[in-house]
Structure formats: structure tokens, C-alpha cells
Amino acid sequence: MIAEIITIGDELLIGQVIDTNSSFIAKQLNKIGVSIYQITSVQDEKSHILQALSDAEHRVDIVIITGGLGPTKDDITKKTIAEYFNDSLVRDDSVLQNIETIWKQHVRTTLLQVNKDQALIPSKSKPLMNRLGTAPGMWIEKAEKVFISLPGVPYEMKALIDYEVIPKLTDKYHCPFILHRTLMVYGLGESALAERIEAWEDALPEHIKLAYLPNLGQMRLRLSTKGFDEQKLKREVQEQIDKVLPYIKDEFAGFEDEEGSVEMVIAKQLTKIGKTLAIAESCTGGAVAERFTVHSGASAYFKGGVVTYSTQSKINVLQVPKSLIDQYSVVSAQVAEAMAKNALDLFQSDYAIATTGNAGPTKGDSDADVGTVFIAIATKTQVYSQEFNFGNLRLKVINKAVNKALEMLLKEIFKN
Amino acid sequence: MIAEIITIGDELLIGQVIDTNSSFIAKQLNKIGVSIYQITSVQDEKSHILQALSDAEHRVDIVIITGGLGPTKDDITKKTIAEYFNDSLVRDDSVLQNIETIWKQHVRTTLLQVNKDQALIPSKSKPLMNRLGTAPGMWIEKAEKVFISLPGVPYEMKALIDYEVIPKLTDKYHCPFILHRTLMVYGLGESALAERIEAWEDALPEHIKLAYLPNLGQMRLRLSTKGFDEQKLKREVQEQIDKVLPYIKDEFAGFEDEEGSVEMVIAKQLTKIGKTLAIAESCTGGAVAERFTVHSGASAYFKGGVVTYSTQSKINVLQVPKSLIDQYSVVSAQVAEAMAKNALDLFQSDYAIATTGNAGPTKGDSDADVGTVFIAIATKTQVYSQEFNFGNLRLKVINKAVNKALEMLLKEIFKN
């Protein structure tokens, strides 16, 4: 089965909001064997939405529409969908009841008419109950095709996909199994990696697709295939992985699909071995800590972190000696190592990472070139650091420093 | 002039990567009067790319294509574009020279054949020089239409848009002026806001469009218009803003277009009044600090922060008395206030924010319900806190807590 995602909203077309909904929907649908053929973002404009619906109907089996279901006048998706199906809007009592319940629990003021009107849905549609908001999802069948309209608010859309859309789609269709395995690779550029594994790549069977995904100092290598024999596909892909791993054994960091990300590989390993982590950040400004704390379960291994952005706070909070800073400057191996060591002591952790550098665009408290970053790792028995230059684009410097810090920590905790 | 963005890459269609390129391109093109009519994401598949190019050519004047220009075999955009224009690939010497320069500066190993081949471009195209990577951009004109192909790596694409594409487009076209003004509003839900400003909204002139953009406790209200008389448009929109502001004077937080975001409003004000900030985070895990430190200039006002994730680190690092934690629990107004106060002292700042709560999904070191968050603000003269419940979705709890912390700080620093 193939699907198209249509995201509706002027905010997407003027660049005010990044479309994060499509990637979530694509990922969830892939898991049940539905491939996304295309993603189309269109304006809050009737003729444009009608055209997009018609184009998508010719291309795919399943059309998933998000956005434009709010209570305000700029939201026109529902009316437009009704027009597309030559249908009219009728009140659905179960939806109205859900709206009243949500209003009572979360808003507590009088229910407004515009919110009551959110219970109006096309007569040919079935409502998909939205327990987290007042805009219902809608499911409309036309011949063998399905149209699904969902609110654009991400957490409402996500709950509807997981609890309403996925079960209904698996009921209706017999889908193939889609398999992706993604290898995380560190320390090799795209073309160097391609050259290293060329013989293997050229011998890959036709039905297993390979993709290279470079990302600021990290590479990902994705194998994809689909078919109806799940066990056979898994075996075939595993055979290819077994063949490629010897080429990249020093650079391989784990599987993104199973571990989620490098920080999750680290998190799982720390939890498993019962060790803890502290983080002292300067130029990365809290971004390393956040990579861990957005995931649940961080409290099992993450003791905490400091963002010692100013030189004074490195002295006051992390007890980095002022003399050390005066002698070597605040962007130096010595200061990075002192930060890591002292964070380890302060938080009483088993490992600590520290970053100090100049993310630019202007020089801060140090004469170091923009892009210079020192990253240090401390353990109970040693502390060491490395110097990098990540160029002169602020966000690139920050993100590369975060990736590199995670890479160094990964290597450290898997040393034994 | 209207444009379409075509983003190419299986990683987008399987949900592995979020398309952040389109919003950047849309924003930059809007500034020179080019409207984005549609964004289309398609697979790395020849027939699909050809179809998307042909569809876009019929819809718009300018087609911007990103992705699929890497040196590896899964990247097929360049060959496919050549086919679309019945063209062949020829070596461009200026591009080859640029590749050699980049290789010498950043890679330092022998230049591989696959990278040399990146200097091949369609004979009908002009290269757009990519100073940050080895994949050139390409500019192809066909009748009155322009096709622009750019690499998918965000920072390379961004530099090409700003330094190559924008100047060339403004040379070629006489575009209207597109005006967006976005008001940031706090503390009102979407429908309550709509009800409050209904009379004003109904009287808006036809050519000024209004949009509501809700986002986890923050609302944005966007006015958009376009035309050739820049001064007249600005005056008209300003008149409408002057009319609506009295309805929302207590909830208005600034203009997103000029200030960028709430944290930028705060950053500018702190810099202006010469005051400083410290942040003590528990459940938000570094996310509040990161909102400030991703922007340049943070060192002018941001002293630093701590992420005291574990109870022990609240005691060791922030000197929160153990007795206070035992008496009130780690998720409490008392602990939040002690964290804020002690962060203020530790970092010697003028303001401090603290968060402590339970982001879920399981309860941590406290019996507080999942979703419970206390946020405290400390100044040199006072400390206070508020209790919230942000529901039971981890990322929503974290993001709402960050937004609310920024809102409280905003109110505090604009008090006088």
C-alpha cells in the first residue's frame, strides 16, 4: 500500500514552522508496511487543497491530511474536504461529548460556539476521537481509497495516528513488511566510507537499497527492503550487515533503529553497567545534556550538568583555578580537562564530559579562533581531551561539538 | 513570482530525517517577494523526480530542488535533471578547482574519483559555487522558468541560498513585497483569543490575511499581505496592529519577526539593561539554557546554568538543604525557589529561573504526579514560584515548562 501525506498551512509555506508531522507519520506507517510515496505541503487555500487531494487520489491508496482543523476562521480544511466529496457537515454527538469533556477538564470556562462547531464533520466520514484536543480526526472511504484528516497539533496528531489510524489501517489492508536497518558510523567521511565498502555495495542484491546519510561528523548507512516474508527479509539484511561490519569495525557505533541514537546507545550501556554521567558545558550551552534528558530514563544514569558559560562561573561553580585560565586561556585543553574532572567530583559521577570553545560569530573571553573547541572526558582514573576546529558557522560548531563529545564518550564507555 | 520547493531523499519519505531545508528556503525567498506555492518531497527515484519536475514546471515560475547531489551511488538528482532537460553532464573546471581547494583544506587525503565527478554538471546549467562542500549548486533556465538544484546538507544549502540564489533571483525578477508580522501572545487559548478579537478580525481588509498559530502554551497571531507599495503595506498592517493591541495588551509579548522568539526578546532586554541570567534546571534538563545559547551574543547576559537532575546534585551543586527536600519533596515550590535563589548566588546573576518537576513517564525521586512542574524566578530582592500540570506526555511537559519559564521571566524583566 502506498500513501501520500498532505500537510496544510500557510505557516509551512512561509517557513514559519518546520513540518515535523510528516516524518512521524511516515515512520509509523512504514512500521505497518505502508510506504510514503510523496509529501505535499499546501496553503490554507481552497482551490489548492482541492487540487492536492485530487492529485494524491490518483497517485496513492491512502491520503493523510494534517492541519487546518482549528476553531478559527483561517482553518478551512474540513469545509474543503466536505466540498471535495460533495458532502455537507453534520454534528456528531460523540465528538461533541468529547469536546465537552475536554473543556470541562482543561479549560473550565464556558464552551464557545466555535468549539461546539468542531463537532461538525462531513456526513460521509467517521470521526477519529481526539482525546487530547477539540478537533476530531476524520476517516473517509471512497472506492478502494482512504482519506484521513488529522489536526496539525503534533501531540494530538501523534495520538490519533497511534491509537486510531494504525489499528484501522492494519484491519483494512494486508501490507508487506518494510525493513530498515541503519548503521551509525563515526570518523569516516561519505566518500571515504563509500570507497571502503565499494565491493560490498556493488554486490548487494537488487531488492536491498543502500543510502548514505551524512550528518555533521556522523554517518549513517541505511539498508532498506520490503516484501511479505518478514523472516526471510530480516535474514537477508542481517547477512549483508555481517558482511559489511568487518570493513567498518572501528567506526561502527550501533544500530539507529534499535538504539534510537548514539546517546541512547550510551544511555543503555551506562544503565546496564550501573555507571553515571555528569556534563560540564561551555560553548555547547546545555545541548549535550538535553540530548540525554529528552529521553525518559535519564535519571538512572545522568547525575546532572553545568553550563558554565562565563569565565567567572567556571571558577565559581566548577572550581577551575583562575591561575589555570590565566595561564592557558579559557579555551584550552587544560581548562577542558579541569572542567571534566571537577564536574566528575561535583556530581560524584563515574564519567564526565566537558566542552569549552568558541562557537562564534565573535570571539568571547578567549583569543581562540572561532570554531576551536576542546572536549575532555574524565573517569575515576584518568582525564584527557582533544582539540577540534569546526569551522565558523555557530550552529554547525555547536552541533559538531555535541556529536563529537558523544562519540568520545561512546568510545570511552565501550573501551573495556 | 511563485516557487515550488522539491526536496529529494528517501530519508524524508521514511521519516528518518525531518525536512528543515524547506522552511529556511521559504523564509529567505519570502523576503525578496517570492511566494512558495507548494513543497513536495519525493523519493530518490528517477521517474518520480522527473514527474515532480514536470508538475512543478506547470505550477510555478521557480523550482528549487534540494538533495541527492552527494558523491555516492544513491544520489541520482544530477543525472535525472540532465535527463529532464535532454542534456548531458560535462566537467566544469571552476567547480573542480573549488573541490580541490576544499579537499586540500579539510580532508587532506588523496582526492577520490567520486569527488572529482562532482564537478560534472548539465551543459545547460550554470554552477552555483559551494564554498562549504564538494557538491555544486546548479542554475538552469528554460523559457521564462528557472530551476535551481542545491545540495541537501543544510549549511551548504543555506550559504548557496544567501550568497548565490537570492542575488541572482533579485537580478532576474521584479517581485512584490511580502509582509508578515507575527505577534507573540501568552496566556490565552486559541478560541478565547479568537473570541476576544472577533470584531477586529471581521473588519480586517480583504488583502490582509490573519492566521492563528498555537504552540504549547504560546499563541502567535500572524498578519500577512503582499503588493508593490512597501510603505503602504507597512502602514496598513501597522494600523491593524495598533487596533488589535488594546484587546491583548496584558498578553502581548513582542513581535516574532523582529525579535525572533521570546528568548530573543528577553536576551535583548537583558543586554539593554545590563542585567544577567542564571538557570537551574531539573525536569527541563538543559532545554531552557539551550534556548538562549543557540543564539550568538548569549555571553553578554547568560552567566550559566546547572542541570541538577538527581536529588543528590541539587544538594551538592546547588546547596539545596536536604532537610527542605525531605520535608517538601524534590518537586515542590520550596525546592524550586531554593534552586532559583542559590543559582542566583552561585552565578552572581541578577535573575535566575529554576524548574523542578516530573516529566514522566514514570515517577522519579518524588511522589508528584507526572506532569507536575514548579517554576521559580529569583531576583536580587525576591523569589517566587508557580505550580503547573502539563499532562502526561514527556516532550510536551518539557516544552510547555520551557515556554512557561520563558513567559514568567519575560514578565519579570519587563515589570518596571
Side-chain angles (χ1 to χ4, degrees), chain B residues 282-283 314 325 328-336 356-358 364-369 372-374 387:
Chain B
S282 182
C283 63
K314 291 182 182 71
I325 294 173
Y328 297 104
S329 106
V330 76
V331 177
S332 64
Q334 289 79 3
V335 169
T356 181
N358 187 351
D365 285 350
S366 150
D367 279 337
D369 287 341
T372 303
V373 177
F374 288 86
E387 178 178 0

PDB file of all heavy atoms in Angstrom, chain B residues 282-283 314 325 328-336 356-358 364-369 372-374 387:
ATOM      1  N   SER B 282      15.861  21.127  36.426  1.00  0.00           N
ATOM      2  CA  SER B 282      15.789  19.712  36.728  1.00  0.00           C
ATOM      3  C   SER B 282      15.053  19.039  35.576  1.00  0.00           C
ATOM      4  O   SER B 282      15.678  18.587  34.632  1.00  0.00           O
ATOM      5  CB  SER B 282      15.110  19.473  38.062  1.00  0.00           C
ATOM      6  OG  SER B 282      15.111  18.096  38.340  1.00  0.00           O
ATOM      7  N   CYS B 283      13.722  19.062  35.592  1.00  0.00           N
ATOM      8  CA  CYS B 283      12.985  18.296  34.580  1.00  0.00           C
ATOM      9  C   CYS B 283      13.199  18.799  33.162  1.00  0.00           C
ATOM     10  O   CYS B 283      13.029  18.044  32.211  1.00  0.00           O
ATOM     11  CB  CYS B 283      11.503  18.268  34.909  1.00  0.00           C
ATOM     12  SG  CYS B 283      10.753  19.894  34.896  1.00  0.00           S
ATOM     13  N   LYS B 314      21.209  18.339  43.495  1.00  0.00           N
ATOM     14  CA  LYS B 314      20.555  19.556  43.982  1.00  0.00           C
ATOM     15  C   LYS B 314      21.174  19.966  45.323  1.00  0.00           C
ATOM     16  O   LYS B 314      21.324  21.145  45.629  1.00  0.00           O
ATOM     17  CB  LYS B 314      19.047  19.357  44.138  1.00  0.00           C
ATOM     18  CG  LYS B 314      18.318  19.191  42.800  1.00  0.00           C
ATOM     19  CD  LYS B 314      16.823  19.049  42.977  1.00  0.00           C
ATOM     20  CE  LYS B 314      16.105  18.828  41.653  1.00  0.00           C
ATOM     21  NZ  LYS B 314      16.330  17.512  41.026  1.00  0.00           N
ATOM     22  N   ILE B 325      14.273  19.250  51.168  1.00  0.00           N
ATOM     23  CA  ILE B 325      13.829  18.205  50.235  1.00  0.00           C
ATOM     24  C   ILE B 325      13.053  17.131  50.987  1.00  0.00           C
ATOM     25  O   ILE B 325      11.994  16.683  50.553  1.00  0.00           O
ATOM     26  CB  ILE B 325      15.044  17.597  49.489  1.00  0.00           C
ATOM     27  CG1 ILE B 325      15.679  18.667  48.586  1.00  0.00           C
ATOM     28  CG2 ILE B 325      14.628  16.383  48.667  1.00  0.00           C
ATOM     29  CD1 ILE B 325      16.989  18.260  47.928  1.00  0.00           C
ATOM     30  N   TYR B 328       9.540  18.749  52.012  1.00  0.00           N
ATOM     31  CA  TYR B 328       8.559  19.144  50.986  1.00  0.00           C
ATOM     32  C   TYR B 328       8.600  18.281  49.726  1.00  0.00           C
ATOM     33  O   TYR B 328       7.771  18.433  48.853  1.00  0.00           O
ATOM     34  CB  TYR B 328       8.776  20.608  50.589  1.00  0.00           C
ATOM     35  CG  TYR B 328       8.563  21.566  51.734  1.00  0.00           C
ATOM     36  CD1 TYR B 328       9.642  22.151  52.395  1.00  0.00           C
ATOM     37  CD2 TYR B 328       7.259  21.889  52.145  1.00  0.00           C
ATOM     38  CE1 TYR B 328       9.445  23.032  53.447  1.00  0.00           C
ATOM     39  CE2 TYR B 328       7.058  22.768  53.194  1.00  0.00           C
ATOM     40  CZ  TYR B 328       8.152  23.336  53.845  1.00  0.00           C
ATOM     41  OH  TYR B 328       7.933  24.207  54.876  1.00  0.00           O
ATOM     42  N   SER B 329       9.582  17.430  49.581  1.00  0.00           N
ATOM     43  CA  SER B 329       9.847  16.609  48.382  1.00  0.00           C
ATOM     44  C   SER B 329      10.579  17.441  47.345  1.00  0.00           C
ATOM     45  O   SER B 329      10.528  18.675  47.357  1.00  0.00           O
ATOM     46  CB  SER B 329       8.589  15.975  47.765  1.00  0.00           C
ATOM     47  OG  SER B 329       8.211  16.628  46.570  1.00  0.00           O
ATOM     48  N   VAL B 330      11.226  16.726  46.445  1.00  0.00           N
ATOM     49  CA  VAL B 330      12.103  17.381  45.486  1.00  0.00           C
ATOM     50  C   VAL B 330      11.308  18.152  44.423  1.00  0.00           C
ATOM     51  O   VAL B 330      11.810  19.091  43.809  1.00  0.00           O
ATOM     52  CB  VAL B 330      13.075  16.328  44.897  1.00  0.00           C
ATOM     53  CG1 VAL B 330      12.365  15.436  43.882  1.00  0.00           C
ATOM     54  CG2 VAL B 330      14.303  16.973  44.302  1.00  0.00           C
ATOM     55  N   VAL B 331      10.051  17.751  44.233  1.00  0.00           N
ATOM     56  CA  VAL B 331       9.173  18.503  43.324  1.00  0.00           C
ATOM     57  C   VAL B 331       8.235  19.349  44.184  1.00  0.00           C
ATOM     58  O   VAL B 331       7.167  18.906  44.589  1.00  0.00           O
ATOM     59  CB  VAL B 331       8.393  17.558  42.387  1.00  0.00           C
ATOM     60  CG1 VAL B 331       7.431  18.333  41.497  1.00  0.00           C
ATOM     61  CG2 VAL B 331       9.363  16.754  41.517  1.00  0.00           C
ATOM     62  N   SER B 332       8.662  20.548  44.504  1.00  0.00           N
ATOM     63  CA  SER B 332       7.867  21.402  45.392  1.00  0.00           C
ATOM     64  C   SER B 332       8.242  22.866  45.150  1.00  0.00           C
ATOM     65  O   SER B 332       9.299  23.162  44.587  1.00  0.00           O
ATOM     66  CB  SER B 332       8.165  21.058  46.867  1.00  0.00           C
ATOM     67  OG  SER B 332       9.533  21.343  47.161  1.00  0.00           O
ATOM     68  N   ALA B 333       7.352  23.746  45.582  1.00  0.00           N
ATOM     69  CA  ALA B 333       7.619  25.182  45.455  1.00  0.00           C
ATOM     70  C   ALA B 333       8.881  25.546  46.227  1.00  0.00           C
ATOM     71  O   ALA B 333       9.715  26.331  45.760  1.00  0.00           O
ATOM     72  CB  ALA B 333       6.418  25.968  45.991  1.00  0.00           C
ATOM     73  N   GLN B 334       9.028  24.970  47.422  1.00  0.00           N
ATOM     74  CA  GLN B 334      10.164  25.313  48.284  1.00  0.00           C
ATOM     75  C   GLN B 334      11.493  24.969  47.616  1.00  0.00           C
ATOM     76  O   GLN B 334      12.449  25.750  47.646  1.00  0.00           O
ATOM     77  CB  GLN B 334      10.053  24.573  49.634  1.00  0.00           C
ATOM     78  CG  GLN B 334       8.943  25.089  50.541  1.00  0.00           C
ATOM     79  CD  GLN B 334       7.546  24.576  50.141  1.00  0.00           C
ATOM     80  OE1 GLN B 334       7.387  23.777  49.217  1.00  0.00           O
ATOM     81  NE2 GLN B 334       6.515  25.055  50.840  1.00  0.00           N
ATOM     82  N   VAL B 335      11.553  23.777  46.995  1.00  0.00           N
ATOM     83  CA  VAL B 335      12.801  23.362  46.348  1.00  0.00           C
ATOM     84  C   VAL B 335      13.053  24.196  45.089  1.00  0.00           C
ATOM     85  O   VAL B 335      14.179  24.631  44.835  1.00  0.00           O
ATOM     86  CB  VAL B 335      12.788  21.846  46.043  1.00  0.00           C
ATOM     87  CG1 VAL B 335      13.956  21.465  45.133  1.00  0.00           C
ATOM     88  CG2 VAL B 335      12.870  21.073  47.359  1.00  0.00           C
ATOM     89  N   ALA B 336      12.002  24.448  44.303  1.00  0.00           N
ATOM     90  CA  ALA B 336      12.164  25.293  43.111  1.00  0.00           C
ATOM     91  C   ALA B 336      12.723  26.658  43.507  1.00  0.00           C
ATOM     92  O   ALA B 336      13.655  27.175  42.885  1.00  0.00           O
ATOM     93  CB  ALA B 336      10.831  25.458  42.381  1.00  0.00           C
ATOM     94  N   THR B 356      11.645  22.432  38.505  1.00  0.00           N
ATOM     95  CA  THR B 356      11.720  21.084  39.067  1.00  0.00           C
ATOM     96  C   THR B 356      10.358  20.442  38.858  1.00  0.00           C
ATOM     97  O   THR B 356       9.329  21.072  39.081  1.00  0.00           O
ATOM     98  CB  THR B 356      12.126  21.068  40.554  1.00  0.00           C
ATOM     99  OG1 THR B 356      12.187  19.701  40.996  1.00  0.00           O
ATOM    100  CG2 THR B 356      11.159  21.827  41.453  1.00  0.00           C
ATOM    101  N   GLY B 357      10.368  19.218  38.406  1.00  0.00           N
ATOM    102  CA  GLY B 357       9.089  18.584  38.118  1.00  0.00           C
ATOM    103  C   GLY B 357       9.288  17.159  37.695  1.00  0.00           C
ATOM    104  O   GLY B 357      10.393  16.629  37.748  1.00  0.00           O
ATOM    105  N   ASN B 358       8.202  16.573  37.280  1.00  0.00           N
ATOM    106  CA  ASN B 358       8.225  15.187  36.879  1.00  0.00           C
ATOM    107  C   ASN B 358       7.706  15.086  35.453  1.00  0.00           C
ATOM    108  O   ASN B 358       6.508  15.201  35.215  1.00  0.00           O
ATOM    109  CB  ASN B 358       7.359  14.387  37.849  1.00  0.00           C
ATOM    110  CG  ASN B 358       7.471  12.910  37.596  1.00  0.00           C
ATOM    111  OD1 ASN B 358       8.062  12.495  36.599  1.00  0.00           O
ATOM    112  ND2 ASN B 358       6.898  12.124  38.473  1.00  0.00           N
ATOM    113  N   GLY B 364       9.838   9.940  39.354  1.00  0.00           N
ATOM    114  CA  GLY B 364      11.255   9.897  39.687  1.00  0.00           C
ATOM    115  C   GLY B 364      11.467   9.843  41.183  1.00  0.00           C
ATOM    116  O   GLY B 364      10.928   8.979  41.874  1.00  0.00           O
ATOM    117  N   ASP B 365      12.249  10.809  41.668  1.00  0.00           N
ATOM    118  CA  ASP B 365      12.579  10.849  43.090  1.00  0.00           C
ATOM    119  C   ASP B 365      11.473  11.485  43.921  1.00  0.00           C
ATOM    120  O   ASP B 365      11.694  11.863  45.069  1.00  0.00           O
ATOM    121  CB  ASP B 365      13.858  11.663  43.302  1.00  0.00           C
ATOM    122  CG  ASP B 365      15.096  10.885  42.865  1.00  0.00           C
ATOM    123  OD1 ASP B 365      14.964   9.683  42.589  1.00  0.00           O
ATOM    124  OD2 ASP B 365      16.180  11.484  42.805  1.00  0.00           O
ATOM    125  N   SER B 366      10.289  11.646  43.347  1.00  0.00           N
ATOM    126  CA  SER B 366       9.236  12.346  44.064  1.00  0.00           C
ATOM    127  C   SER B 366       7.905  11.644  43.829  1.00  0.00           C
ATOM    128  O   SER B 366       7.735  10.916  42.858  1.00  0.00           O
ATOM    129  CB  SER B 366       9.149  13.789  43.554  1.00  0.00           C
ATOM    130  OG  SER B 366       7.838  14.288  43.650  1.00  0.00           O
ATOM    131  N   ASP B 367       6.954  11.863  44.708  1.00  0.00           N
ATOM    132  CA  ASP B 367       5.630  11.277  44.535  1.00  0.00           C
ATOM    133  C   ASP B 367       4.712  12.143  43.687  1.00  0.00           C
ATOM    134  O   ASP B 367       3.561  11.793  43.452  1.00  0.00           O
ATOM    135  CB  ASP B 367       4.962  11.078  45.907  1.00  0.00           C
ATOM    136  CG  ASP B 367       5.474   9.796  46.567  1.00  0.00           C
ATOM    137  OD1 ASP B 367       5.947   8.918  45.815  1.00  0.00           O
ATOM    138  OD2 ASP B 367       5.383   9.699  47.796  1.00  0.00           O
ATOM    139  N   ALA B 368       5.224  13.290  43.230  1.00  0.00           N
ATOM    140  CA  ALA B 368       4.378  14.210  42.460  1.00  0.00           C
ATOM    141  C   ALA B 368       3.844  13.523  41.210  1.00  0.00           C
ATOM    142  O   ALA B 368       4.507  12.687  40.619  1.00  0.00           O
ATOM    143  CB  ALA B 368       5.187  15.445  42.059  1.00  0.00           C
ATOM    144  N   ASP B 369       2.628  13.884  40.810  1.00  0.00           N
ATOM    145  CA  ASP B 369       2.036  13.341  39.597  1.00  0.00           C
ATOM    146  C   ASP B 369       2.918  13.651  38.395  1.00  0.00           C
ATOM    147  O   ASP B 369       3.539  14.710  38.332  1.00  0.00           O
ATOM    148  CB  ASP B 369       0.668  13.993  39.333  1.00  0.00           C
ATOM    149  CG  ASP B 369      -0.385  13.475  40.310  1.00  0.00           C
ATOM    150  OD1 ASP B 369      -0.150  12.398  40.898  1.00  0.00           O
ATOM    151  OD2 ASP B 369      -1.408  14.159  40.471  1.00  0.00           O
ATOM    152  N   THR B 372       3.545  17.354  36.778  1.00  0.00           N
ATOM    153  CA  THR B 372       3.655  18.436  37.760  1.00  0.00           C
ATOM    154  C   THR B 372       5.016  19.120  37.627  1.00  0.00           C
ATOM    155  O   THR B 372       6.055  18.462  37.633  1.00  0.00           O
ATOM    156  CB  THR B 372       3.551  17.887  39.205  1.00  0.00           C
ATOM    157  OG1 THR B 372       2.311  17.190  39.319  1.00  0.00           O
ATOM    158  CG2 THR B 372       3.622  19.021  40.226  1.00  0.00           C
ATOM    159  N   VAL B 373       4.988  20.437  37.493  1.00  0.00           N
ATOM    160  CA  VAL B 373       6.244  21.189  37.379  1.00  0.00           C
ATOM    161  C   VAL B 373       6.132  22.466  38.218  1.00  0.00           C
ATOM    162  O   VAL B 373       5.106  23.157  38.171  1.00  0.00           O
ATOM    163  CB  VAL B 373       6.553  21.572  35.910  1.00  0.00           C
ATOM    164  CG1 VAL B 373       7.822  22.417  35.815  1.00  0.00           C
ATOM    165  CG2 VAL B 373       6.691  20.331  35.032  1.00  0.00           C
ATOM    166  N   PHE B 374       7.154  22.750  39.002  1.00  0.00           N
ATOM    167  CA  PHE B 374       7.250  24.031  39.703  1.00  0.00           C
ATOM    168  C   PHE B 374       8.310  24.878  39.000  1.00  0.00           C
ATOM    169  O   PHE B 374       9.401  24.390  38.709  1.00  0.00           O
ATOM    170  CB  PHE B 374       7.651  23.834  41.166  1.00  0.00           C
ATOM    171  CG  PHE B 374       6.548  23.238  41.999  1.00  0.00           C
ATOM    172  CD1 PHE B 374       6.386  21.854  42.073  1.00  0.00           C
ATOM    173  CD2 PHE B 374       5.654  24.049  42.697  1.00  0.00           C
ATOM    174  CE1 PHE B 374       5.368  21.289  42.831  1.00  0.00           C
ATOM    175  CE2 PHE B 374       4.638  23.497  43.462  1.00  0.00           C
ATOM    176  CZ  PHE B 374       4.498  22.115  43.519  1.00  0.00           C
ATOM    177  N   GLU B 387       2.997  26.622  40.350  1.00  0.00           N
ATOM    178  CA  GLU B 387       2.852  25.189  40.103  1.00  0.00           C
ATOM    179  C   GLU B 387       2.026  24.972  38.838  1.00  0.00           C
ATOM    180  O   GLU B 387       1.055  25.691  38.597  1.00  0.00           O
ATOM    181  CB  GLU B 387       2.150  24.524  41.293  1.00  0.00           C
ATOM    182  CG  GLU B 387       1.920  23.036  41.068  1.00  0.00           C
ATOM    183  CD  GLU B 387       1.258  22.343  42.257  1.00  0.00           C
ATOM    184  OE1 GLU B 387       0.968  23.026  43.269  1.00  0.00           O
ATOM    185  OE2 GLU B 387       1.012  21.124  42.159  1.00  0.00           O
TER     186      GLU B 387
END
